[in-house]
Amino acid sequence: MSMKKGISVTLACIMSVMLLNGCGDKGGTESVNGSTEITSGSTESENEGGQAVNEGTEATGEGAEATTGIVTISVGNWPSTEGASLDTRESQKKAFEEKYSEIKIEPDTWAFDLKTYYPKAAAGLLPTTYTCPFTESGKIIRSGYARTMTKALQEVGYDKLLNEKLMDIISKDGEIYYMPESCYALGIGYNVSIFEQAGLMNEDGTPKVPATWEDLLEMAKIIKEKTGKAGFAIPTSNNSGGWLFTPIAWSYGVDFMEQDENGKWKATFDTEECVKALQFVRDLKWENDVFPSNILIDNAEYQKLFATGQLGMIITGASITQPVSTYEMDPNDVGLFAMPAGPERRVSLLGGKIYTVSSGSTDEQVDAAVKWYEYVGVSPYISDAVASAQQQEIDTALAEGRAVGVEKMQIWNEDSEVVQNYNRLVEENANVNINHFKSYNESLTDPSLEVQVEEPVCAQDLYGILDNCLQEVLNNENADCAALIKNAAEQFQTNFLDVYAEGN
């Protein structure tokens, strides 16, 4: 073993041990199943702001081979097992290299994982390009492991077509460091049939949309009074409750944590605002009786209650259509409207993934990576392949009996060909009254709706602590919300943020 390799391996081992003392956030994509387009609460831990410092060993790919004129890029997240996904990637690789004979793709099966990422980055062992969750974007820039992509994106016009709501995540100080891969935003799902029974639907098929959480509570009370069904709920277990409580708390003005000048994270949610947000959830049951009788609700139960007509409203995203086929829900009973406002903000939780290029990469490698993204379908411009993929997505939803009519948060803006084509397909192929989703669809481009990614560090640990608070206030009528929040903040600081600081 060479001395350089030995040092890298030793460094990686040491940092791995250190990271095991930190917080283990999991990431994912949103779905009504939980925390991500929802896998389980989302791994993503996000640190906003900060400068790219270019310290330590730079992560890099192979580089341009001067002797042959070939630009080699290693591509992470490559499928590791035999099957359709691997076959598709290998086919794309072959066709791409035939089209761009000056570029060579080297598959790398490594996928982003907090336990391995920073040791791997410090040792210079990252692929040239890979995906990571939104929540890690700021920390990667500050650590010096992300390469600016501004020039390459400007040359193909992508910079003008990116969704403005994502710019705080993918850019810093005027430089674009990431190419978005996918994203989602939450809203409020509602059961159309229950809304009709409660007199909450307008003649044109739009629902009466609550402007605030208090308005939503009043609608939940009407649902309970008119139908006997639970009006509104959030999960309370497996971290999903804490995850979905955070956007409610944000709207009350809560900041769960902040980083001091020394880089240490401080729990900052022992506040009157957070107590009021928890009180709102408590009152769903004890003052207004709109919560389901069983207060221990996990993701599976959350879906089931909604899809089987036992629950009027839930917090979810465009993936609300997925439980329809599972529980044979009538697609016409599915609706979605925009997140209500709290006393301080109107805000939705934003999740997703981004492509990044390792900091030691050359200009030629960045250009090659952007060409690869475009080839596999991540482009604002429509192509036969992209148009076919969009049509296939719609056809699959129709074949599975899911509602077609809801749009989704896109990585590109409304001026892009790809968004225009997708929204046209949704409208042309809608199998339900598209007005059931009108409020949510319009909110995706509404500048008055803020979007915020998950908490920066130890997010899953925070969600677990908040789950406990939710369970207590829903199980114990005399629970002291202020005492619960105070204790939760102290636990989070001592057991997780302080430990995280020691391991980093």
Side-chain angles (χ1 to χ4, degrees):
M1 177 184 292
S2 68
M3 180 177 294
K4 180 178 180 181
K5 185 174 182 181
I7 292 172
S8 295
V9 172
T10 301
L11 177 59
C13 292
I14 291 172
M15 293 190 69
S16 293
V17 172
M18 292 174 66
L19 279 169
L20 289 175
N21 292 326
C23 303
D25 290 349
K26 293 182 179 179
T29 41
E30 180 259 352
S31 97
V32 78
N33 295 333
S35 359
T36 52
E37 236 192 43
I38 305 176
T39 53
S40 78
S42 289
T43 70
E44 311 173 349
S45 63
E46 196 261 346
N47 305 350
E48 293 188 2
Q51 301 283 341
V53 294
N54 294 321
E55 293 180 352
T57 306
E58 287 191 331
T60 183
E62 289 295 321
E65 300 178 14
T67 57
T68 62
I70 300 294
V71 177
T72 300
I73 60 170
S74 50
V75 177
N77 306 89
W78 206 269
S80 58
T81 57
E82 297 292 331
S85 295
L86 179 58
D87 292 343
T88 298
R89 268 293 183 259
E90 291 293 344
S91 176
Q92 290 172 331
K93 174 182 181 298
K94 180 180 179 181
F96 178 83
E97 290 177 338
E98 289 175 354
K99 180 176 182 178
Y100 298 104
S101 57
E102 75 281 8
I103 301 174
K104 178 183 177 183
I105 300 292
E106 288 191 348
D108 190 322
T109 59
W110 176 81
F112 184 89
D113 173 74
L114 277 176
K115 291 181 179 179
T116 63
Y117 177 78
Y118 290 98
K120 194 175 182 74
L125 301 174
L126 291 174
T128 310
T129 185
Y130 54 92
T131 62
C132 67
F134 280 3
T135 47
E136 208 64 19
S137 61
K139 186 175 181 180
I140 290 174
I141 293 174
R142 287 199 302 277
S143 299
Y145 297 137
R147 168 69 150 79
T148 177
M149 303 171 67
T150 307
K151 181 180 177 182
L153 295 178
Q154 288 175 339
E155 288 178 351
V156 290
Y158 287 12
D159 61 312
K160 303 296 185 185
L161 296 171
L162 289 163
N163 187 338
E164 186 64 30
K165 288 181 181 286
L166 306 184
M167 294 308 293
D168 285 345
I169 298 167
I170 66 174
S171 63
K172 178 66 181 174
D173 297 331
E175 294 288 339
I176 302 173
Y177 286 90
Y178 303 104
M179 170 86 141
E181 188 248 18
S182 60
C183 61
Y184 67 88
L186 298 181
I188 303 295
Y190 66 96
N191 185 300
V192 175
S193 180
I194 291 177
F195 263 51
E196 288 175 341
Q197 295 172 46
L200 296 173
M201 293 295 291
N202 299 312
E203 290 186 4
D204 63 356
T206 58
K208 296 186 186 302
V209 178
T212 67
W213 288 111
E214 291 302 320
D215 292 340
L216 182 143
L217 174 58
E218 291 303 312
M219 290 171 62
K221 289 162 64 176
I222 293 172
I223 288 171
K224 184 62 182 287
E225 178 186 347
K226 296 290 183 66
T227 72
K229 307 290 180 63
F232 176 68
I234 64 174
T236 57
S237 63
N238 294 339
N239 292 5
S240 298
W243 182 70
L244 292 180
F245 175 72
T246 55
I248 297 175
W250 294 337
S251 74
Y252 274 74
V254 175
D255 292 317
F256 282 95
M257 65 189 79
E258 64 181 25
Q259 193 172 28
D260 66 20
E261 64 276 6
N262 298 315
K264 187 175 180 180
W265 289 95
K266 299 290 187 182
T268 55
F269 61 97
D270 181 11
T271 63
E272 182 180 354
E273 291 79 11
C274 200
V275 172
K276 288 180 178 179
L278 185 61
Q279 187 75 37
F280 169 79
V281 176
R282 181 246 177 226
D283 291 350
L284 291 173
K285 178 174 181 179
W286 299 112
E287 301 301 325
N288 301 288
D289 191 28
V290 300
F291 207 88
S293 56
N294 175 20
I295 63 102
L296 287 175
I297 304 173
D298 62 12
N299 293 324
E301 182 66 12
Y302 199 44
Q303 291 185 70
K304 183 178 179 180
L305 288 170
F306 176 76
T308 57
Q310 301 176 66
L311 179 58
M313 294 179 284
I314 62 174
I315 302 177
T316 184
S319 62
I320 190 175
T321 62
Q322 293 174 358
V324 173
S325 56
T326 303
Y327 295 99
E328 299 182 352
M329 184 181 185
D330 185 343
N332 290 288
D333 280 345
V334 180
L336 190 64
F337 54 72
M339 289 288 272
E344 297 297 328
R345 304 170 62 193
R346 181 169 173 249
V347 57
S348 176
L349 186 147
L350 178 71
K353 293 182 180 180
I354 45 181
Y355 285 110
T356 186
V357 174
S358 298
S359 57
S361 303
T362 65
D363 289 345
E364 292 78 12
Q365 285 180 304
V366 178
D367 290 339
V370 172
K371 286 184 172 70
W372 171 252
Y373 307 151
E374 181 177 22
Y375 196 81
V376 298
V378 184
S379 165
Y381 306 119
I382 202 69
S383 65
D384 289 344
V386 170
S388 177
Q390 289 183 339
Q391 185 66 62
Q392 182 61 48
E393 179 182 333
I394 298 295
D395 291 344
T396 299
L398 291 170
E400 293 177 353
R402 292 188 274 124
V404 172
V406 60
E407 296 173 9
K408 57 186 180 182
M409 179 69 79
Q410 299 274 8
I411 64 175
W412 309 107
N413 63 34
E414 293 271 290
D415 293 330
S416 67
E417 296 174 357
V418 71
V419 170
Q420 291 174 1
N421 190 68
Y422 181 81
N423 290 346
R424 177 184 61 80
L425 288 174
V426 168
E427 184 174 352
E428 291 178 355
N429 292 274
N431 60 351
V432 296
N433 187 337
I434 203 166
N435 282 341
H436 293 173
F437 307 103
K438 188 173 187 289
S439 169
Y440 178 81
N441 290 348
E442 292 178 349
S443 76
L444 299 177
T445 54
D446 183 355
S448 71
L449 176 66
E450 299 179 60
V451 291
Q452 183 170 329
V453 297
E454 294 178 66
E455 292 302 321
V457 297
C458 301
Q460 295 299 320
D461 306 301
L462 174 64
Y463 300 154
I465 288 174
L466 293 175
D467 269 1
N468 294 335
C469 294
L470 296 171
Q471 290 174 23
E472 180 62 18
V473 297
L474 292 169
N475 194 51
N476 178 6
E477 183 176 4
N478 298 314
D480 185 334
C481 290
L484 286 170
I485 291 299
K486 180 178 180 60
N487 184 57
E490 291 175 352
Q491 282 187 40
F492 186 54
Q493 183 68 54
T494 302
N495 297 338
F496 299 106
L497 293 183
D498 288 348
V499 174
Y500 176 83
E502 292 173 5
N504 289 273

